[in-house]
Amino acid sequence: MTGGDKDGDGDVTAAPAVPPPPLEWKFSQVFGERTAGEEVQEVDIISAIEFDKTGDHLATGDRGGRVVLFERTDTKEHGGSRKDLEKTDYPSNRHPEFRYKTEFQSHEPEFDYLKSLEIEEKINKIKWCQTANGALFLLSTNDKTIKFWKVQEKKAKKIADMNMNPLKAVGNGSIASSSVSSINKSSHTANGEKTDKSCTSLNKDFYSSGAIQSLRLPVVVTCNETSLAARCRRVYAHAHDYHINSISNNSDGETFISADDLRVNLWNLEISNQSFNIVDVKPANMEDLTEVITSAEFHPTQCNTLAYSSSKGSIRLIDLRQSALCDRHSKLFEEHESPGSRSFFTEIIASISDIKFGRDGRYLLSRDYMTLKLWDINMDSGPVSTFQVHEHLRPKLCDLYENDSIFDKFECCLSGDGQRVATGSYSNLFRVFGSVPTSTEATTLEASKNPMRRQVQTPSRPSRSLSSSITRVVRRGGESTGNDTNGNSFDFSTKLLHLAWHPTENSIACAAANSLYMYYA
């Protein structure tokens, strides 16, 4: 925000809105960095990233069904909360630093015998829930099943107050062997009753050694050592016929939604055996199907409002107070293309792959194949801003269709202050745009240890040729060519699909295959 100028009478006059200067991004950390020539295992590829509301924890999911948690360390070392740090003289150039916390196997591969369908273990989405009693809670989902996890530190327990030193007993072996050997020794009395001599012989050995004077029962004591334990509290299954593409927590802290291609279901976190179908776009005749649901998200503050996007490029805002089945939307956001510009690829590239609400819920960000669009939920006539992500690929749509890259699902995110938006592209690049109306910020970054680097023309190293034509700052994202200055085409096999913005600071976490890169500005 900018202040006003004072006139001669000391009054403050309004100043024109000045966009913030472009951010200078710096490398912070990398987890799982692969060495040159190292082959990436399919199960290790990251498929979901999510910060919690405080920004102190980060979760990633991969195609192997694992969830890995990271925790922030710089706040713990320097005073705890952000408010405490603001009161101290600690330098303001501090940036978030994270460390590995724990990991657990969330999903396993399954087989649906009724449909003869293999269900892969890949994590599609992760969402953090409200913390309680020092424990972390989160939801994770694959194509069919959602799970509610509790991660908590538990103090280790051990057995103490035993009659003897276990090491001594193992070393000697006489007492243990005598007790075992005497188990089968028994005799019969005159009336035929059976007596067991094991107890007698064991006591005789114990007390004849002189080491034990009384019998003490072992007790379990709690140690100071702690270990993290992840426990699945609930499983929400058998509610989706099609692949789950989204889950989203409600601001009420009690419910969440899950969406597949044709339905959106509403769940209560405490009830796993039933859900309510609130959106159903399945036609009576499947031949009449023209669009599918691609993403869904709850409003961050209004528990009755949610939005879902479609493969036709539209976003519908619905109000749960209107009816039990929300088959009518309260608002529709879409941008119509002129008839003359339509082509075979128009509907394919119009499909929205991800939507995100801003922190205050006023703005909604959507990502289709070519662009980012920022919508004001109070204005349904069209987007307030459109950002060209990789316009240079438009002439190559035919090639992208041939290799199926045109169906890639890129995610998007907004900064906590709502002044910037970000999304991924190919060649492990991602783009950051200024969302303030007068801003011209449009930065292209590479998921590497030198995100802002400007490649020098070096024909001897064509594989590392991400040059100034890619990494320069451009106005509103327009780029002239699909090749770099060395004439090499972009690598469509390396794509940055998943990224997340820290909720309170200018810090971005993004996934390049199996590596998690973190940057700050």
Side-chain angles (χ1 to χ4, degrees):
M1 298 295 291
T2 58
D5 297 324
K6 288 189 178 181
D7 57 23
D9 298 328
D11 295 325
V12 178
T13 57
V18 178
L23 296 175
E24 186 76 16
W25 291 92
K26 301 179 182 69
F27 169 78
S28 174
Q29 290 173 280
V30 59
F31 296 95
E33 183 183 23
R34 62 183 185 274
T35 57
E38 181 185 350
E39 187 176 346
V40 179
Q41 299 295 319
E42 178 80 11
V43 293
D44 295 330
I45 295 176
I46 297 172
S47 56
I49 300 179
E50 188 79 10
F51 280 105
D52 70 349
K53 283 187 176 181
T54 64
D56 291 338
H57 292 92
L58 175 68
T60 65
D62 62 26
R63 294 188 182 180
R66 294 174 300 239
V67 172
V68 183
L69 304 185
F70 301 88
E71 67 176 349
R72 189 168 179 173
T73 58
D74 57 304
T75 53
K76 290 184 177 181
E77 294 168 2
H78 299 287
S81 71
R82 181 180 175 86
K83 289 182 179 179
D84 293 336
L85 289 169
E86 288 172 351
K87 295 175 184 177
T88 65
D89 294 329
Y90 189 66
S92 60
N93 59 357
R94 178 186 55 88
H95 63 275
E97 292 180 1
F98 287 80
R99 71 179 175 195
Y100 170 86
K101 186 177 178 74
T102 188
E103 68 179 90
F104 55 90
Q105 188 71 33
S106 174
H107 287 73
E108 301 279 358
E110 301 173 39
F111 191 81
D112 188 334
Y113 293 98
L114 292 177
K115 298 182 179 179
S116 296
L117 182 69
E118 188 175 354
I119 305 168
E120 61 179 352
E121 63 271 35
K122 173 193 162 193
I123 305 295
N124 291 344
K125 294 289 179 182
I126 296 173
K127 292 293 179 183
W128 290 92
C129 302
Q130 293 180 353
T131 59
N133 301 324
L136 302 174
F137 295 90
L138 51 88
L139 290 165
S140 62
T141 184
N142 65 352
D143 285 339
K144 295 290 184 180
T145 306
I146 307 161
K147 295 186 179 182
F148 183 49
W149 291 91
K150 177 183 181 180
V151 181
Q152 190 174 29
E153 283 191 351
K154 287 192 173 180
K155 290 190 174 181
K157 295 181 179 179
K158 65 178 182 180
I159 298 174
D161 275 356
M162 297 180 68
N163 267 101
M164 58 191 300
N165 185 350
L167 297 176
K168 204 171 187 179
V170 173
N172 187 353
S174 60
I175 296 176
S177 61
S178 65
S179 63
V180 173
S181 61
S182 63
I183 289 175
N184 295 323
K185 292 181 181 178
S186 59
S187 60
H188 294 270
T189 59
N191 60 2
E193 292 179 355
K194 198 173 182 180
T195 60
D196 195 345
K197 295 183 179 179
S198 61
C199 183
T200 307
S201 60
L202 182 61
N203 287 343
K204 191 180 292 182
D205 288 336
F206 265 43
Y207 289 101
S208 63
S209 65
I212 299 174
Q213 302 303 323
S214 63
L215 180 63
R216 295 194 307 269
L217 293 176
V219 295
V220 178
V221 296
T222 303
C223 310
N224 291 326
E225 300 174 4
T226 60
S227 61
L228 278 166
R231 189 162 66 95
C232 183
R233 296 289 304 274
R234 289 177 192 85
V235 178
Y236 312 91
H238 312 302
H240 289 276
D241 292 330
Y242 304 93
H243 291 179
I244 299 171
N245 55 49
S246 304
I247 52 176
S248 180
N249 300 90
N250 197 346
S251 58
D252 63 9
E254 297 179 357
T255 56
F256 71 94
I257 54 169
S258 59
D260 64 21
D261 292 342
L262 298 180
R263 292 187 176 94
V264 178
N265 292 335
L266 178 68
W267 301 83
N268 188 299
L269 281 167
E270 301 295 325
I271 303 169
S272 60
N273 59 0
Q274 70 173 357
S275 63
F276 297 95
N277 178 223
I278 54 175
V279 176
D280 190 349
V281 299
K282 184 178 181 180
N285 184 356
M286 284 296 283
E287 292 182 0
D288 299 329
L289 182 67
T290 58
E291 62 181 335
V292 295
I293 298 168
T294 56
S295 183
E297 179 157 301
F298 259 120
H299 191 281
T301 58
Q302 299 173 11
C303 61
N304 57 284
T305 304
L306 63 93
Y308 69 91
S309 60
S310 81
S311 57
K312 277 194 169 182
S314 61
I315 303 171
R316 290 172 173 84
L317 205 65
I318 61 175
D319 191 335
L320 297 177
R321 297 171 299 184
Q322 288 183 342
S323 62
L325 182 62
C326 302
D327 48 2
R328 293 183 181 180
H329 53 266
S330 56
K331 283 188 179 178
L332 175 66
F333 305 96
E334 60 183 350
E335 188 177 30
H336 298 283
E337 286 200 16
S338 56
S341 63
R342 290 186 63 82
S343 69
F344 173 76
F345 305 108
T346 299
E347 283 197 12
I348 299 175
I349 63 175
S351 177
I352 295 174
S353 55
D354 191 26
I355 58 172
K356 292 283 190 337
F357 274 103
R359 198 170 187 181
D360 61 356
R362 170 71 184 271
Y363 293 97
L364 185 62
L365 184 67
S366 67
R367 170 70 203 264
D368 57 41
Y369 188 70
M370 299 297 290
T371 65
L372 271 176
K373 291 187 174 80
L374 188 66
W375 306 81
D376 185 336
I377 64 169
N378 296 329
M379 187 181 80
D380 53 7
S381 58
V384 293
S385 297
T386 299
F387 310 97
Q388 305 295 337
V389 179
H390 37 217
E391 189 63 22
H392 55 272
L393 296 182
R394 197 170 290 275
K396 300 175 181 287
L397 289 178
C398 189
D399 297 333
L400 293 164
Y401 179 78
E402 291 288 332
N403 61 22
D404 285 342
S405 294
I406 201 169
F407 301 107
D408 288 334
K409 308 297 182 187
F410 291 96
E411 293 180 1
C412 59
C413 58
L414 298 93
S415 62
D417 58 12
Q419 293 188 344
R420 293 174 180 87
V421 297
T423 191
S425 182
Y426 294 101
S427 297
N428 281 342
L429 301 178
F430 64 100
R431 311 211 62 199
V432 178
F433 301 96
S435 57
V436 178
T438 54
S439 174
T440 59
E441 180 178 359
T443 311
T444 305
L445 305 150
E446 180 194 6
S448 70
K449 288 187 175 180
N450 187 6
M452 299 285 288
R453 68 179 177 151
R454 300 169 183 271
Q455 186 77 12
V456 180
Q457 293 190 26
T458 50
S460 61
R461 296 179 64 192
S463 62
R464 306 291 292 171
S465 54
L466 291 164
S467 67
S468 58
S469 68
I470 311 173
T471 56
R472 70 182 186 278
V473 175
V474 241
R475 286 182 174 270
R476 310 313 279 172
E479 291 180 7
S480 57
T481 174
N483 297 335
D484 57 30
T485 53
N486 293 335
N488 296 304
S489 59
F490 294 116
D491 184 3
F492 299 120
S493 64
T494 56
K495 44 205 166 194
L496 201 149
L497 301 176
H498 311 286
L499 77 172
W501 201 301
H502 191 280
T504 59
E505 301 180 28
N506 286 323
S507 176
I508 291 178
C510 56
N514 66 324
S515 303
L516 176 67
Y517 285 91
M518 305 194 72
Y519 304 95
Y520 71 98

